[in-house]
Amino acid sequence: MNRTAQPVEAPAPGAWEELVTTALLGTERRTVPGGAPGREAPVALLDAAAVETVRRRAGLRPARAAERPEPAAEDPRPALPAAAARRLALLLAGRPGTGGGRRGTAPDLMELLPQWLAAANARGFAAPPQALPALLDAARGRTDLRPAALAFAGPRAVWLARLNPDWRFALRATPGGGRVLPDPEDGERTRRLWEEGLFAERVALLTALRAREPAAARELLSTTWSTERAEDRLMFLDSLRTGLGPQDEPFLEQALSDRSRNVRATAAELLSALPGSALAARMAVRAAACVAVDHTRDSPTIAVEAPHECDAGMERDGVVAKPPAGRGERSWWLGQLVEATPLATWSARLGGRTPREIVALPVTDDWQGELHAAWSRAAVRQRDPEWARALLGIPSAPEAGGPGAVSLAERAKLLGTLDAAERAGWVAGFIAAHGLSEAFQLLGVCALPWTAPLGRAVVDALDIARDAGSYPWSFSGVMGLAERCLDPGEASRLDGLLAIPDEREDASPGAGGYWAEAFQRLVTTLRLRKAMTEELEAA
């Protein structure tokens, strides 16, 4: 018996995505497409998903023939050595070890991927074509991987991203969406792209031009500044941080009168980073009127008289009038004035004293914390290592922040103004004196790999923590940093920590075994990192 085939109704556009959304939200909150709410809704959702799955697998209709895409641009970089290519495949397929909630002794391969990518990029290798899908999938799930992954993937990543919506982030993350920017000397093409290009292309153009010819970039921006949207003006203005100099002052002074508060604030911040600017001079006059040395006391003391109002001139120069919740108005205004004042002002204002002598002076009426915090922000903004050292103090001091109340976050930023060796030495001294309880944030600003003194300080502190009989989980963050940041050459020095120590009576049960496991994982990871480097250098 012949039966006439019934036509199959075409699925609605986005049917699968609609089912996924319903499953995520729940059938109590969202009705199944084509169904009704109620107790049977979950069953209806599963039935619809089953039908749609079969349709997606077997019901694909031929599409109209389209032109083949242009081939991807050639990648002129050399290919990876074979062993390094195999290692990359293992890292992309790796997952953190499990085992009853414990990591075990196996290295976390995905956490080593960023370091591997940095090393491969430093040596100028091209990504193997067969690894690109997995590499883009990894970068899609981890935004921290994207810059290094896309640099390693090269032009083929942009080519693939145009063909797969899941990888569209590569178009957004690549300057100009992969578009080749015009030569800066080609004035006509540069002008046309600036006036007609997409926003991402315009940002990429301005950033590239600013890095090569700061004045030309500023002049290009000024041609359309008055017609740009406020949010676009803010992004464009931020590009002037690269190559910032005195020649940018007239443009930034003009931006102080912008309609957007955020644009005005950014312009004021950039001007305050120019110690010779007129704004910096105006801020210095205001701040100097608030801070002076009081010689009437038994010893010289800094006296503070915070502003009583925030006038229109202060607001134009970037002072935000309304403080955040929990802050007093006067202390809020004072902090902004001091932060924007050139640090060289204070030596002349406070009796010719050096930064270390100024920081050591007592401050009246509990203003010390506010004053030192503002000086810390100024030292970071103006990249002044002498003031940073004064505010940090010696690492073995009880407060490890100099005489002022400098917070841990501010200390980390101050350390960023020092060179890598001095930064590592200060943090090593801090750990030797205070242990690891507050060291995580400070370790995060140290250059990789850690210097030998810093590495020894971290390992010694971990060994002391083990001897104290506590569990290693309180130090898991530092242990994870050590796996990524210790010099691989330190692995052999750690062999003595792999044995399970005798358990003290007051120790946590089983703590010694957990510590031995953690140190074994550390040693294994360091040796793996060493092998990774050797494989990349095999060429």
Side-chain angles (χ1 to χ4, degrees), residues 61-74:
R61 296 182 176 182
R64 287 189 175 186
E67 294 184 8
R68 289 186 178 183
E70 291 292 328
E74 289 294 327

Side-chain angles (χ1 to χ4, degrees), residues 448-515:
L448 303 182
W450 289 340
T451 63
L454 178 56
R456 285 194 294 270
V458 171
V459 172
D460 290 345
L462 288 170
D463 194 17
I464 291 171
R466 179 185 68 164
D467 290 344
S470 62
Y471 289 119
W473 305 314
S474 299
F475 304 94
S476 59
V478 174
M479 188 67 80
L481 277 178
E483 291 173 16
R484 298 189 295 274
C485 305
L486 268 178
D487 189 328
E490 294 287 300
S492 58
R493 202 175 68 83
L494 305 179
D495 287 339
L497 302 175
L498 302 183
I500 299 177
D502 295 333
E503 195 166 293
R504 294 166 33 184
E505 292 183 2
D506 58 344
S508 302
Y514 290 118
W515 274 106

Side-chain angles (χ1 to χ4, degrees), residues 57-367:
R57 290 178 177 175
L60 184 66
R61 296 182 176 182
R64 287 189 175 186
E67 294 184 8
R68 289 186 178 183
E70 291 292 328
E74 289 294 327
D75 193 334
R77 297 174 297 177
L80 277 173
R86 290 192 294 271
R87 178 72 64 190
L88 173 61
L90 290 173
L91 293 176
L92 289 171
R95 292 293 182 271
T98 58
R102 291 169 56 183
R103 282 185 55 192
T105 60
D108 188 341
L109 299 183
M110 281 301 291
E111 288 304 314
L112 291 177
L113 182 58
Q115 195 166 111
W116 188 96
L117 288 170
N121 284 333
R123 290 165 174 78
F125 288 118
Q130 67 273 17
L132 289 175
L135 183 62
L136 288 169
D137 281 340
R140 180 191 179 199
R142 285 182 55 177
T143 55
D144 63 305
L145 277 179
R146 290 181 183 179
L150 293 177
F152 181 58
R156 292 191 179 104
V158 176
W159 185 86
L160 287 170
R162 293 196 180 101
L163 303 176
N164 186 344
D166 289 343
W167 299 332
R168 289 290 170 85
F169 69 87
L171 300 180
R172 296 190 299 270
T174 304
R179 178 170 175 171
V180 177
L181 298 176
D183 190 299
E185 296 182 359
D186 189 341
E188 179 59 27
R189 285 188 62 207
T190 297
R191 183 193 60 78
R192 188 163 58 249
L193 179 58
W194 176 249
E195 294 178 353
E196 302 173 4
L198 300 175
F199 176 69
E201 295 171 339
R202 300 179 73 211
V203 171
L205 173 64
L206 188 65
T207 302
L209 189 59
R210 181 70 179 179
R212 295 181 57 176
E213 299 181 34
R218 186 184 64 253
E219 291 169 5
L220 184 66
L221 177 57
S222 66
T223 61
T224 60
W225 178 258
S226 61
T227 61
E228 303 287 356
R229 300 183 306 165
E231 54 267 35
D232 294 350
R233 292 199 303 276
L234 182 62
M235 289 289 292
F236 293 145
L237 191 63
D238 201 60
S239 69
L240 299 187
R241 296 182 189 277
T242 302
L244 182 67
Q247 63 276 10
D248 297 313
E249 184 178 356
F251 181 85
L252 294 173
E253 275 284 342
Q254 179 185 359
L256 288 177
S257 302
D258 196 87
R259 301 184 301 275
S260 167
R261 185 183 69 180
N262 290 332
V263 171
R264 295 196 302 270
T266 301
E269 179 190 346
L270 293 173
L271 283 168
S272 68
L274 296 173
S277 68
L279 178 137
R282 294 193 296 268
M283 288 298 203
V285 171
R286 295 175 181 128
C290 299
V291 181
V293 175
D294 183 356
H295 293 284
T296 64
R297 299 172 181 263
D298 294 338
S299 60
T301 303
I302 294 179
V304 175
E305 180 66 27
H308 290 274
E309 64 173 346
C310 181
D311 58 34
M314 290 168 62
E315 288 196 62
R316 183 183 181 275
D317 285 346
V319 176
V320 179
K322 185 176 181 180
R327 288 289 301 273
E329 286 184 333
R330 298 181 65 198
S331 65
W332 173 244
W333 300 331
L334 174 72
Q336 293 178 80
L337 294 181
V338 174
E339 177 182 354
T341 295
L343 289 166
T345 301
W346 300 111
S347 179
R349 174 62 176 162
L350 303 178
R353 292 176 171 84
T354 65
R356 195 175 296 276
E357 292 170 338
I358 292 172
V359 170
L361 289 174
V363 183
T364 61
D365 301 328
D366 297 324
W367 283 106

